[in-house]
Amino acid sequence: GCVSEGTAFGFTVDTYVTDGDDAKTQEVVAQVISKGYDGIILSHGQLSYTYDMLKPARDKGIEVVTFDSMPLAELSLGFMMKEFEDNGGQYPMKVLKTFMGPGVPPLDRRNEIYTKLESEGKIKTVEVIAPSDTANVRGDMTNKTAAILPKYPEGAVDAIWGCYDELAKGVLQALNDAGRTDIPMYTIDISNDDIQLMTSNSDVWKSTAAVDPKLIGIVDMRLLAMKFAGEETPDFYNLAAQNVETTTLSPDISMTNLNTVVDGWGDATTSDSFNLDWMDALRAKFAK
């Protein structure tokens, strides 16, 4: 999304992947700042270091746009509770929770919604499963889930909540290995791998709340272009999220055609997505 939109504006867009490694992230950003870019778009920096990491960029006059998270937890948890109610469940829901943090801003924000529901008596957390090996989150979650599943026979857990899809995929593998299909799972974020796993495990993985990652990149680039142009930009902006229910998916659905089954998916044409007239002029110019 960043590359396609930036190129359409006539920008040179370079990308750097830091493999979810905090030390590498800080090292790469320092290198990027030293190379004299006009702007930086940063995805998922940790709370503990992001401000100090990016301040030298701002001190040099480099424009910065950061991306963390959206109000996804409300969609994910709301659908989870609706299905629980529709099936005659009585609160509090007994939930097996996956988590990673605190200190990861998007996950911390998602957790705020979860803890609010806990305080309201809607959710009772039976156990929290968290990875200790960040280099192998999926495998670590599989092992940790496999170790605790025998403690929870059928009926002991009403749902699994995955605050992040990579955590949930490890849990799903453990459920499959144990032949458990009695606990429904509700998650956040989506990918082609997720879609394939959702359709092949529809009895367990019920939904995921997400925003089209390509749209995130497009909007981030538009905001950066506005900063280059001296236009006023908001301090915060939440992209509209959708809840993707597994029942709407089929094996021929992927990230590229998800909009055919999810209304509004990847819609970058709305006026509140910062698509300004002069951006259309730039696109027309560089399309030639």
Side-chain angles (χ1 to χ4, degrees), residues 12 16 29 38-39 42 56 77 102 106 109-110 125 139 141 145-147 151 161 167 175-176 179 201 231 255 261:
T12 298
Y16 298 83
V29 170
D38 298 306
L42 176 77
L77 291 164
R109 290 181 196 160
R110 295 168 190 180
T125 304
M141 289 297 287
T145 306
K151 292 163 52 180
W161 186 58
L167 304 184
L175 291 172
N176 284 341
N201 297 274
E231 300 251 12
M255 296 294 286
V261 293

Side-chain angles (χ1 to χ4, degrees), residues 2-12 218 221-226 274-276 278-283 285-286:
C2 288
V3 173
S4 63
E5 193 75 337
T7 304
F9 293 159
F11 300 165
T12 298
I218 288 170
M221 187 58 73
R222 289 177 184 173
L223 286 164
L224 190 63
M226 290 173 69
F274 310 105
N275 190 32
L276 307 180
W278 57 262
M279 294 181 184
D280 289 331
L282 278 180
R283 288 191 197 94
K285 175 182 176 182
F286 288 102

Side-chain angles (χ1 to χ4, degrees), residues 52-83:
D52 291 337
M53 178 178 72
L54 290 174
K55 190 173 185 302
R58 295 299 298 127
D59 290 345
K60 285 183 67 173
I62 299 172
E63 300 294 352
V64 172
V65 174
T66 63
F67 161 70
D68 273 334
S69 188
M70 306 70 63
L72 295 167
E74 292 175 358
L75 280 175
S76 175
L77 291 164
F79 184 68
M80 180 180 83
M81 291 192 302
K82 180 183 182 299
E83 289 219 316

Side-chain angles (χ1 to χ4, degrees), residues 188-229:
I188 293 177
D189 294 332
I190 197 167
S191 66
N192 281 328
D193 187 31
D194 292 353
I195 292 171
Q196 188 275 319
L197 287 170
M198 289 170 76
T199 54
S200 59
N201 297 274
S202 58
D203 49 352
V204 172
W205 197 339
K206 299 298 186 179
S207 73
T208 194
V211 171
D212 182 356
K214 183 176 181 180
L215 175 61
I216 294 165
I218 288 170
V219 173
D220 282 348
M221 187 58 73
R222 289 177 184 173
L223 286 164
L224 190 63
M226 290 173 69
K227 289 179 180 292
F228 290 157

Side-chain angles (χ1 to χ4, degrees), residues 100-116:
M100 192 170 165
V104 184
L107 304 190
D108 288 345
R109 290 181 196 160
R110 295 168 190 180
N111 193 45
E112 284 178 18
I113 308 300
Y114 185 94
T115 54
K116 179 174 179 286

